[in-house]
């Protein structure tokens, strides 16, 4: 065997995650898998304490800091356990026995975050769009924040409903904690206004198994010494992502994705590209009455475009025929049904154009 190992042509992948990765990243990983250049061993085989991995980890952090504008006040950690473990770790570290944590509830994932936090301490739901079926995010004037809250937790993009906060809400002095699993690095974000940002990598950053954690340094003091080590932000930060074996391959691949994002022009350029891609699909949804958008227009996500066709049979047909046309993963989340096109950073414009064309043709023949 030599050269490329690819025998099956790639199709367009609209999965909500794990999701499409940039092709140049997959090609580079494929090339390096037998032996890292200058190392002679695969990244899967080297010690996480070797100088080779030191270089990968340092480069990943440096790329990330430059791309996202992460200030020196914030630590960057690569951890395991997915965003779901952060639902537990955030209150475990930041919520003291006499404190209250505010949660902005905008979907299933924020509800899960609330459920875990309630096992640890006092939780106040400062806003919820559940009565509206989560088709929008709250307006800032509707937030009922607790004075002196331990932190305010939000979900920046709601993967299932296709809604997104377009601005970081003003929450006063409390540290803002944001689950950015499904829109991390899709646009510039004022990191300095956050206490904690976390994201599972498997949508916009890399493979499943690595979770990005950005924590404001002063918050590390809140981690009680009695916490289990693996659950302690302070211990993980002291270990500089290597308290135990980190997700080595995930960090390696994430670094390749970060370099690809940098070469694509950085976050401002990516945000413009992501807006263009989303606008193309929303225009198709709004063009006639055939498709219906799920999210309210002012809360629409640039990452997950959710929509419906007139009835469930047509939903199923749409999913089947789209897959047959090489457009995979457009089925809505099982909890809401309908259709969803996830168009993260790595989804090329050509994929979005192909889906828009497919939608038009579907409407013409079934409308
Ligand atoms: N938060 C959001 C916004 C998500 O979309 C997801 C996964 N789809 C999660 C949390 C859970 O992530 P994980 O599977 O990495 O625990």
């Amino acid at each position: 065997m030599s050269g490329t190992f690819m025998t099956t042509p790639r199709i367009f992948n609209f999965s909500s995650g794990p999701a499409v990765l940039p092709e140049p990243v997959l090609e580079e990983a494929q090339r390096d898998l037998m032996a890292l250049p200058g190392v002679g061993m695969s990244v899967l085989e080297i010690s996480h304490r070797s100088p080779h991995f030191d270089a990968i980890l340092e480069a990943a952090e440096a790329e990330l800091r430059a791309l996202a504008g992460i200030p020196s006040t914030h630590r960057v950690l690569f951890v395991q356990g997915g965003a779901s473990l952060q639902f537990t770790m955030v209150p475990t570290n930041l919520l003291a026995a006499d404190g209250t944590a505010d949660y902005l509830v905008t979907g299933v994932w924020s509800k899960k975050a609330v459920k875990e936090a309630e096992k640890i301490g006092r939780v106040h739901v400062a806003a919820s769009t559940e009565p509206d079926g989560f088709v929008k995010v709250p307006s800032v004037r509707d937030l009922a924040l607790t004075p002196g809250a331990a932190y305010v937790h939000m979900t920046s993009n709601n993967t299932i409903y296709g809604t997104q906060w377009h601005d970081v809400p003003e929450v006063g002095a409390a540290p803002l904690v944001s689950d950015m699993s499904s829109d991390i690095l899709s646009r510039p974000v004022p990191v300095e206004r956050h206490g904690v940002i976390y994201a599972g990598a498997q949508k916009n950053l890399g493979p499943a198994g690595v979770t990005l954690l950005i924590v404001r340094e002063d918050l590390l003091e809140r981690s009680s010494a009695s916490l289990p080590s693996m659950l302690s932000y302070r211990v993980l930060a002291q270990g500089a992502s290597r308290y135990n074996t980190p997700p080595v391959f995930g960090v390696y691949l994430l670094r390749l994705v970060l370099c690809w994002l940098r070469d694509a022009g950085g976050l401002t350029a990516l945000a413009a590209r992501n807006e263009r891609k989303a606008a193309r699909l929303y225009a198709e949804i709004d063009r006639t009455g055939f498709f219906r958008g799920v999210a309210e227009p002012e809360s629409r996500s640039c990452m997950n475009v959710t929509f419906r066709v007139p009835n469930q049979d047509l939903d199923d047909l749409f999913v089947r025929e789209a897959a047959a046309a090489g457009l995979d993963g457009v089925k809505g989340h099982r909890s809401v049904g309908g259709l969803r096109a996830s168009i993260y950073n790595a989804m090329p414009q050509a994929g979005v154009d192909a889906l828009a064309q497919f939608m038009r043709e579907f409407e013409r023949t079934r409308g």
Side-chain angles (χ1 to χ4, degrees):
M1 281 191 289
S2 66
T4 176
F5 294 85
M6 200 172 95
T7 52
T8 305
R10 282 169 63 79
I11 60 175
F12 290 119
N13 174 9
F14 294 93
S15 163
S16 61
V20 58
L21 284 163
E23 281 188 17
V25 165
L26 295 176
E27 282 163 359
E28 187 168 343
Q30 184 190 40
R31 274 199 309 273
D32 287 3
L33 194 63
M34 286 303 283
L36 281 169
V39 176
M41 297 175 277
S42 165
V43 68
L44 298 170
E45 304 165 306
I46 55 173
S47 164
H48 61 293
R49 303 202 188 276
S50 65
H52 312 305
F53 189 67
D54 284 346
I56 291 171
L57 192 67
E58 280 163 23
E61 178 166 344
E63 286 290 347
L64 184 69
R65 283 189 179 277
L67 253 182
I70 302 174
S72 58
T73 44
H74 287 60
R75 296 291 302 269
V76 170
L77 299 171
F78 301 105
V79 300
Q80 307 198 31
S84 299
L85 185 58
Q86 295 311 310
F87 297 165
T88 299
M89 284 178 73
V90 166
T92 301
N93 285 274
L94 303 184
L95 182 53
D98 57 352
T100 299
D102 281 352
Y103 277 72
L104 314 182
V105 176
T106 51
V108 161
W109 297 113
S110 16
K111 277 182 76 171
K112 287 197 171 168
V114 166
K115 185 174 158 211
E116 297 308 310
E118 281 173 337
K119 296 175 185 173
I120 311 290
R122 199 173 326 123
V123 168
H124 167 66
V125 173
S128 171
T129 52
E130 189 161 20
D132 306 294
F134 292 131
V135 294
K136 60 180 187 178
V137 297
S139 95
V140 179
R141 64 177 180 280
D142 293 337
L143 308 186
L145 298 171
T146 307
Y151 61 87
V152 179
H153 181 283
M154 65 178 280
T155 312
S156 59
N157 184 77
N158 299 283
T159 326
I160 295 176
Y161 311 89
T163 65
Q164 187 174 25
W165 290 83
H166 292 292
D167 295 299
V168 177
E170 187 48 68
V171 296
L176 182 61
V177 177
S178 190
D179 172 2
M180 293 194 190
S181 291
S182 51
D183 66 354
I184 183 99
L185 301 192
S186 67
R187 55 182 179 175
V189 163
V191 175
E192 68 283 358
R193 287 184 51 201
H194 294 77
V196 176
I197 291 172
Y198 63 89
Q202 65 271 23
K203 301 169 198 299
N204 260 320
L205 292 180
V210 55
T211 306
L212 172 66
L213 187 56
I214 302 170
V215 187
R216 210 175 68 205
E217 183 114 39
D218 63 291
L219 294 174
L220 299 175
E221 284 165 23
R222 290 204 202 172
S223 305
S224 150
S226 64
L227 284 184
S229 301
M230 283 294 288
L231 296 183
S232 164
Y233 285 159
R234 183 149 36 132
V235 170
L236 296 182
Q238 277 163 355
S241 294
R242 279 182 287 193
Y243 171 75
N244 74 327
T245 313
V248 173
F249 184 72
V251 174
Y252 158 81
L253 207 85
L254 186 139
R255 192 199 132 223
L256 298 187
V257 172
L258 294 171
C259 294
W260 178 82
L261 292 171
R262 182 238 293 144
D263 293 345
L267 299 193
T268 304
L270 273 154
R273 206 159 101 174
N274 287 330
E275 275 169 30
R276 235 180 357 258
K277 287 188 295 178
R280 173 90 211 259
L281 294 183
Y282 287 122
E284 207 48 49
I285 289 168
D286 294 338
R287 202 169 51 81
T288 67
F290 181 73
F291 294 106
R292 258 183 319 115
V294 172
E296 288 198 355
E298 59 280 9
S299 292
R300 281 174 166 178
S301 165
C302 282
M303 297 281 99
N304 310 97
V305 175
T306 48
F307 57 104
R308 294 184 193 287
V309 283
N311 63 61
Q312 164 116 44
D313 290 345
L314 281 180
D315 267 356
D316 297 342
L317 193 67
F318 188 100
V319 172
R320 270 204 314 278
E321 291 192 350
L327 308 167
D328 196 68
V330 294
K331 194 173 170 50
H333 188 270
R334 60 192 181 282
S335 64
V336 294
L339 302 159
R340 170 176 57 177
S342 297
I343 50 171
Y344 303 119
N345 282 337
M347 170 56 67
Q349 180 72 44
V352 168
D353 292 344
L355 178 59
Q357 240 167 32
F358 175 84
M359 289 167 74
R360 194 167 290 204
E361 187 57 18
F362 190 85
E363 178 178 350
R364 194 181 66 76
T365 53
R366 321 282 161 160

